[in-house]
Amino acid sequence: MLKITFLGAGSTVFARNVLGDVMCTPALCECEIALYDIDPVRLDESYRILSAMNATVNQGKASIRTYLGPENRKEALRGARFAVNAIQVGGYDPCTILDFEIPKKYGLRQTIADTLGIGGIMRALRTIPVMEDFARDMEEVCPDVLLLNYTNPMAMLTGYMLRYTGVKTVGLCHSVQVCTSTLLKELGMEDKLPGARDFIAGINHMAWLLRVTDREGNDLYPEIRRRAREMNARGGHPDMVRFDYIDKLGYYCTESSEHNAEYNCFYIKSKYPELIDRFQIPLDEYPRRCVNQIAGWKEMSGQLLSQSELGHSRSREYASRIMEAIVTDTPYRIGGNVLNTGHIIEDFPQQACVEVPCLVDGAGIHPTYVGSLPPVLAAMNMTNINCQLLTIEAARTRKREDILRAVMLEPHTAAELSIDDMAKMVDELLEAHGDFMKMYR
């Protein structure tokens, strides 16, 4: 029987989407689902909700079991064909709070802090050792598994797994799937969506919409650039950073403005506080989002757990599509995060983790050769890749000096702080994270 293991199954809403998709897919629905988490309450909630969904949409065809804690992880993984990773090491409290509050003491403000910036670096450093443990188990009990990684920071985690473990891994993000539709809707060009075609490549959360055409093959960028300039001239739009990218760099980027505001040295600057209002930058957005999600889940979980029947319609998530393509050997195209082996993108080192179009079939994941990017886009990506590679190196060596080097090359941090303050901030963060960072002390 096909076995699918979900790591971080306490992420109930996401597990519901991914595994609900599995239950709605004929080639996958008669499977064994292993739910793994370290939180017994959230694990039980996910089991009950998924069991109700299995009975409703899948006539109980899937077998669902739970596995609690590291001592049961090997059994959760044993014989798995696919594993989905959706963990968050340290959670909102204490780790996300620390990732925001300590840098703020040094004058360093953030919006999301899960991909780059000092927050993204810390998240990678506490997550990679856990994923390394996952990898050792996978290598032993399911050596042929394909790991579908949804956890951020995507490029750092996926890059580490592909470089330093034997686990076949692909990183998956929602931003590629919605990039073109989001842009055209924001600019009032919805009529161009039917039949539109695009080509997207770069790195996670900073991949570029390199080409976009309508159903007749007409280039949509001239009109996109005109409307984006007009939109930013009027002001007040939440996606103004990405519209500014279109104006200054020539191209639109996959991930949201609140994310991209902190991936560079342009928009969050202590000497230019007016930029925060001008570009509608939501500082401390992720902590607010976490608080709202926690409160929302308390209400939603009660409603879901009280229902004996739960429906589901297959979503746009890549996970079930990838599994289906491999199991049935039916080609499917995704935007995937893979190593830049063979210089898929010519401008980047082979150790970089890139986000490019990939074909999936019975033989696995096949990245598409991209070639060179426009020079300014490659340069923007490299400012992030430098930090990603140095963070991966720090996770490998476990040395504080390597952590500091990664922080020194992080664009926003380097633009705001002295090296001495960076070093003090790193020491304070490592100490405050306690056991989550004990391997670096």
Side-chain angles (χ1 to χ4, degrees):
M1 178 183 285
L2 173 68
K3 183 174 180 179
I4 300 166
T5 301
F6 199 105
L7 301 161
S11 302
T12 307
V13 174
F14 186 61
R16 180 187 177 193
N17 284 339
V18 169
L19 297 174
D21 290 350
V22 167
M23 295 173 192
C24 292
T25 306
L28 307 173
C29 64
E30 296 183 24
C31 64
E32 176 185 351
I33 295 173
L35 304 177
Y36 170 80
D37 207 277
I38 60 172
D39 184 328
V41 175
R42 294 299 299 267
L43 182 60
D44 179 65
E45 289 174 344
S46 292
Y47 172 76
R48 291 163 60 190
I49 289 168
L50 289 165
S51 295
M53 186 184 300
N54 185 37
T56 305
V57 305
N58 197 27
Q59 294 78 53
K61 293 176 183 176
S63 168
I64 306 176
R65 295 188 61 186
T66 60
Y67 299 83
L68 177 64
E71 65 274 18
N72 293 305
R73 191 172 58 225
K74 279 187 182 180
E75 288 309 308
L77 288 164
R78 191 175 303 278
R81 181 86 176 272
F82 302 102
V84 179
N85 183 48
I87 64 171
Q88 184 181 354
V89 177
Y92 166 67
D93 189 359
C95 288
T96 296
I97 295 173
L98 295 172
D99 286 346
F100 276 82
E101 293 304 314
I102 290 176
K104 197 182 297 183
K105 289 168 50 180
Y106 291 84
L108 199 59
R109 302 297 301 274
Q110 300 171 95
T111 55
I112 305 293
D114 72 348
T115 298
L116 207 71
I118 186 64
I121 292 170
M122 290 297 123
R123 184 179 284 230
L125 292 174
R126 63 178 179 263
T127 306
I128 285 173
V130 176
M131 291 187 65
E132 208 169 37
D133 290 341
F134 290 177
R136 300 290 87 85
D137 288 349
M138 291 177 193
E139 290 165 349
E140 178 182 343
V141 302
C142 54
D144 297 322
V145 73
L146 174 63
L147 177 64
L148 310 179
N149 178 51
Y150 277 96
T151 297
N152 285 322
M154 177 62 63
M156 298 185 202
L157 303 186
T158 303
Y160 188 94
M161 293 294 285
L162 288 169
R163 288 175 62 191
Y164 294 114
T165 80
V167 178
K168 291 179 289 185
T169 306
V170 62
L172 304 172
C173 181
H174 315 86
S175 59
V176 173
Q177 292 158 284
V178 301
C179 176
T180 297
S181 60
T182 297
L183 174 61
L184 295 182
K185 288 175 182 177
E186 285 182 334
L187 296 180
M189 298 173 66
E190 296 96 328
D191 60 307
K192 302 297 183 183
L193 270 173
R197 303 191 69 177
D198 58 29
F199 188 82
I200 295 171
I203 60 173
N204 179 244
H205 284 191
M206 197 190 278
W208 306 101
L209 181 61
L210 296 171
R211 294 192 298 274
V212 56
T213 59
D214 64 16
R215 71 175 78 193
E216 282 82 33
N218 298 307
D219 183 6
L220 294 179
Y221 252 126
E223 182 64 11
I224 287 170
R225 292 181 179 118
R226 186 187 71 80
R227 294 194 185 201
R229 281 194 297 272
E230 288 182 354
M231 191 81 77
N232 266 16
R234 289 196 297 269
H237 193 279
D239 209 12
M240 292 182 69
V241 168
R242 284 199 289 180
F243 292 164
D244 203 43
Y245 274 12
I246 295 173
D247 184 43
K248 302 302 191 300
L249 308 177
Y251 296 85
Y252 190 64
C253 170
T254 48
E255 190 47 79
S256 64
S257 283
E258 64 259 30
H259 275 276
N260 271 274
E262 65 182 4
Y263 298 163
N264 54 65
C265 54
F266 305 137
Y267 302 104
I268 305 175
K269 302 175 78 70
S270 57
K271 287 188 176 181
Y272 301 90
E274 69 275 9
L275 294 176
I276 302 303
D277 290 333
R278 176 182 166 190
F279 287 99
Q280 301 288 297
I281 296 170
L283 295 173
D284 299 321
E285 168 65 18
Y286 189 64
R288 286 193 297 271
R289 192 175 297 177
C290 289
V291 170
N292 291 336
Q293 286 175 342
I294 291 168
W297 173 246
K298 288 181 179 179
E299 180 178 347
M300 185 191 301
S301 63
Q303 296 173 356
L304 292 174
L305 290 168
S306 65
Q307 299 179 42
S308 59
E309 296 184 359
L310 286 173
H312 183 77
S313 297
R314 197 175 185 187
S315 74
R316 296 178 62 184
E317 293 289 353
Y318 280 142
S320 71
R321 315 282 176 172
I322 292 171
M323 297 177 198
E324 181 182 32
I326 291 174
V327 168
T328 65
D329 194 19
T330 303
Y332 185 76
R333 180 186 170 188
I334 66 168
N337 289 269
V338 297
L339 276 190
N340 195 37
T341 305
H343 294 288
I344 299 166
I345 297 181
E346 292 281 357
D347 315 276
F348 305 153
Q350 296 196 76
Q351 300 95 328
C353 182
V354 294
E355 192 166 69
V356 296
C358 299
L359 182 70
V360 187
D361 61 16
I365 312 290
H366 313 284
T368 299
Y369 173 77
V370 173
S372 290
L373 301 180
V376 69
L377 304 187
M380 283 288 290
N381 283 161
M382 277 305 305
T383 65
N384 283 223
I385 289 170
N386 290 331
C387 180
Q388 291 165 0
L389 295 181
L390 289 172
T391 303
I392 289 173
E393 179 67 5
R396 185 187 70 83
T397 66
R398 305 288 202 260
K399 293 181 179 179
R400 285 194 180 205
E401 63 203 66
D402 287 331
I403 298 174
L404 178 58
R405 288 166 181 158
V407 173
M408 288 166 56
L409 269 292
E410 198 286 305
H412 174 47
T413 306
E416 292 288 283
L417 302 187
S418 70
I419 295 176
D420 287 343
D421 277 350
M422 292 181 205
K424 292 176 185 175
M425 179 176 63
V426 167
D427 287 344
E428 188 171 347
L429 280 163
L430 295 181
E431 187 65 30
H433 278 86
D435 286 348
F436 293 110
M437 295 287 194
K438 63 183 178 182
M439 65 289 297
Y440 302 105
R441 295 203 297 276

